[in-house]
Amino acid sequence: MNKPEDKPILLIVEDDRGLQNQLRWHFDQYETIFAETRDDASTAVRKHEPAVIIQDLGLPPDPDGTAEGFKCVKDILRISPTTKIIVMTGKTDQEHAIAAIGMGAYDYYQKPVDPDSLDLIVQRAFHIHHLEQENRRLQTQRQQPLEGLLTNDPAMLKICRTLEKIAPANVTCCLLGESGTGKEVMARAIHQLSPRNEQRFVAINCAAVPENLIESELFGYEKGAFTGAAKQTLGKIETANSGTLFLDEIGDMPLNLQAKLLRFLQERVIERVGGRAEISVDVRVICATNKNLKDMVAAGSFREDLYYRISEITIDIPPLRQRDGDKVLLARHFKRQFAKEHEQVITDFTTDAIAAIEAYEWPGNVREMENKIKRAVIMADSKMINCDDLGLCQEVELSLNLRQVRNDAEKGAITRALCMTDNNISTAAKLLGITRPTFYDLIKKHDITVISG
């Protein structure tokens, strides 16, 4: 015999004790939980997380009306948007049942109760809930190649495969990308995939620590090393011993400290501020920056030897605007996350909002999107998030005209081929895999001027 915890949970929101007993006896294949009021129902949903709920629309203190029942439907869906609610109504209340479905209820059933008929609806609700849950799991598995990272973009998926390859190797790598592209998420993914994953991941933002403090933050200090140094204190490097040290915004590290960091990376020993003893430290180092380190080396603001030391492997992370399909994917992910967090019933984005999300350049990348979606979830007046909720202008319309997309891609490929071959028609045609006559036709079609050398 199955234990109660092995049975699917069915919550029944009904204040009629006689009907409760009838339903309890009939639905013995489920673990039946009962609630008689809206508040009790909300508490039960939070505690038991039922997949399916049978709910009477006539609840106290309004057993002859539907106002309290409608509020209960909204409360439940705010707490658990994926729960399947089957509302029960009288024979003359079909319009109220349809209104409840408009609010997000799954189905309705008209009294008097025929347990066998209701049983079929309940079984189907559990089945649909299971299918949807499995579909969400598989979708997340496909779209989340690494922990904490959602993407469908081919370039990003290639980066994920690269991270999987370098994670077991004890090499220093540098993540390059604009602010908000997820460099720390990727650094944590490398740590989780490495043999050091059970040890600490320690992060320090080199741009956030004042220049006169960053040395002691990194290397620690001995008691009495400076005014206020009342006790020996370990730095971030020692704290990360046996684990991973993440140096974010390393391009902002003061030039005078770069030499000391280089010595540590080469010899894996440190000296605390005010100390003389050399301390061996075994730590994996991952660096990140949104600056162009090559330009900084040329300008003399970043040491060339340190640049090559931290760049054993470099990974260029594309900005969000260049990731195909990721804008809406991430927007929906954040919508689900914040709707659950703030207990809001948000089903999706309007068509205009989707177009605005795709058209917007997202200069702040994923971090900016996260903030805008959070604001939208809080500000939305309906179940659909619109452009005003997002705070995005609607001036730019999203174009998905396939013919135009093809033409633009074709013209771009021809232009690049001509540039690469110094306007040599024969070589450009071979590069594109087409004949010279076809190439001339395409030049004419796209009105491209070819300047001979």
Side-chain angles (χ1 to χ4, degrees):
M1 183 176 178
N2 288 339
K3 296 178 182 179
E5 58 265 31
D6 295 331
K7 296 181 180 181
I9 296 174
L10 173 65
L11 173 62
I12 300 174
V13 187
E14 171 62 64
D15 63 322
D16 185 326
R17 297 291 177 87
L19 186 53
Q20 282 185 20
N21 290 331
Q22 181 184 1
L23 294 174
R24 178 183 286 110
W25 173 82
H26 181 76
F27 289 114
D28 61 347
Q29 72 270 41
Y30 305 112
E31 182 183 355
T32 50
I33 309 295
F34 289 90
E36 297 187 1
T37 66
R38 176 162 64 102
D39 289 342
D40 290 345
S42 296
T43 300
V45 170
R46 286 190 173 94
K47 181 178 180 181
H48 300 286
E49 299 181 347
V52 178
I53 297 173
I54 299 173
Q55 184 208 310
D56 191 356
L57 281 181
L59 296 176
D62 183 29
D64 297 323
T66 56
E68 192 71 5
F70 285 154
K71 290 177 183 177
C72 188
V73 170
K74 289 180 179 179
D75 287 350
I76 291 170
L77 292 176
R78 189 182 302 115
I79 298 166
S80 179
T82 61
T83 297
K84 302 300 177 189
I85 303 176
I86 302 164
V87 294
M88 290 197 299
T89 65
K91 281 190 173 181
T92 59
D93 290 336
Q94 186 176 10
E95 69 276 11
H96 291 140
I98 293 172
I101 289 174
M103 294 176 186
Y106 164 73
D107 206 343
Y108 72 93
Y109 183 83
Q110 290 181 334
K111 294 180 179 179
V113 172
D114 173 10
D116 292 331
S117 299
L118 182 57
D119 195 29
L120 291 175
I121 298 175
V122 170
Q123 286 179 22
R124 186 174 61 194
F126 271 108
H127 181 63
I128 295 296
H129 183 273
H130 173 73
L131 290 177
E132 290 178 351
Q133 191 177 46
E134 183 66 9
N135 183 57
R136 284 192 297 271
R137 186 188 68 80
L138 293 173
Q139 192 172 32
T140 300
Q141 194 176 54
R142 287 194 300 269
Q143 296 169 346
Q144 193 167 354
L146 294 177
E147 185 177 347
L149 184 64
L150 284 171
T151 186
N152 272 334
D153 177 60
M156 287 294 291
L157 291 171
K158 186 176 180 180
I159 288 174
C160 291
R161 302 291 80 80
T162 301
L163 297 183
E164 289 175 340
K165 289 178 182 178
I166 68 173
N170 194 28
V171 293
T172 302
C173 57
C174 192
L175 307 174
L176 308 176
E178 296 178 8
S179 179
T181 50
K183 295 187 288 294
E184 184 168 346
V185 171
M186 293 190 185
R188 289 183 182 276
I190 293 172
H191 173 71
Q192 288 300 322
L193 292 169
S194 76
R196 301 173 182 264
N197 60 358
E198 294 185 359
Q199 305 301 321
R200 294 192 62 176
F201 176 91
V202 178
I204 181 170
N205 188 319
C206 300
V209 182
E211 186 173 339
N212 62 328
L213 296 178
I214 191 166
E215 182 177 8
S216 58
E217 277 287 309
L218 270 176
F219 296 93
Y221 54 85
E222 299 289 355
K223 179 179 179 181
F226 48 81
T227 303
K231 62 178 182 178
Q232 183 190 80
T233 302
L234 303 186
K236 296 288 188 182
I237 295 176
E238 273 189 272
T239 305
N241 190 30
S242 300
T244 302
L245 175 69
F246 177 53
L247 299 174
D248 197 8
E249 305 303 350
I250 194 170
D252 291 277
M253 179 171 285
L255 194 59
N256 62 336
L257 189 58
Q258 292 177 22
K260 192 169 183 179
L261 177 64
L262 176 64
R263 178 173 180 264
F264 158 67
L265 290 174
Q266 289 175 335
E267 301 178 16
R268 299 294 162 161
V269 295
I270 64 166
E271 290 180 13
R272 300 191 190 106
V273 176
R276 294 184 179 275
E278 291 188 343
I279 303 164
S280 297
V281 182
D282 171 30
V283 65
R284 168 79 174 272
V285 178
I286 303 173
C287 304
T289 183
N290 61 5
K291 295 188 175 181
N292 189 318
L293 293 182
K294 286 185 178 179
D295 289 348
M296 293 181 68
V297 168
S301 57
F302 199 86
R303 292 180 62 107
E304 185 176 17
D305 46 7
L306 178 60
Y307 168 71
Y308 288 116
R309 189 66 186 80
I310 65 174
S311 302
E312 291 177 340
I313 292 180
T314 60
I315 297 171
D316 289 291
I317 304 169
L320 182 56
R321 61 184 171 275
Q322 294 177 7
R323 303 181 193 176
D324 293 339
D326 278 8
K327 291 178 181 179
V328 174
L329 171 67
L330 287 167
R332 288 199 165 110
H333 166 73
F334 289 131
K335 180 264 298 179
R336 289 190 294 269
Q337 176 185 323
F338 292 124
K340 183 176 181 180
E341 184 178 312
H342 295 278
E343 295 190 353
Q344 298 288 340
V345 181
I346 305 291
T347 56
D348 206 349
F349 299 89
T350 63
T351 303
D352 289 345
I354 291 289
I357 288 168
E358 280 291 341
Y360 187 55
E361 287 292 300
W362 298 103
N365 293 294
V366 180
R367 188 178 296 119
E368 180 187 8
M369 173 175 282
E370 187 175 4
N371 292 336
K372 282 192 180 295
I373 302 300
K374 185 175 184 178
R375 173 190 182 276
V377 167
I378 294 170
M379 298 300 294
D381 291 322
S382 70
K383 293 188 292 184
M384 301 286 282
I385 292 174
N386 58 38
C387 289
D388 290 337
D389 299 327
L390 289 166
L392 296 178
C393 68
Q394 304 176 57
E395 296 175 4
V396 183
E397 291 187 3
L398 176 65
S399 174
L400 284 179
N401 184 289
L402 187 57
R403 181 177 298 172
Q404 186 62 47
V405 171
R406 284 174 174 166
N407 280 338
D408 291 345
E410 195 173 69
K411 185 175 182 180
I414 293 166
T415 303
R416 286 195 299 274
L418 288 169
C419 290
M420 292 169 65
T421 60
D422 197 21
N423 292 311
N424 186 301
I425 299 294
S426 296
T427 308
K430 287 180 181 177
L431 189 63
L432 292 171
I434 57 178
T435 63
R436 279 173 61 98
T438 301
F439 193 79
Y440 279 117
D441 289 341
L442 291 173
I443 289 172
K444 185 177 181 181
K445 171 186 173 183
H446 294 291
D447 194 24
I448 297 172
T449 302
V450 181
I451 303 173
S452 300

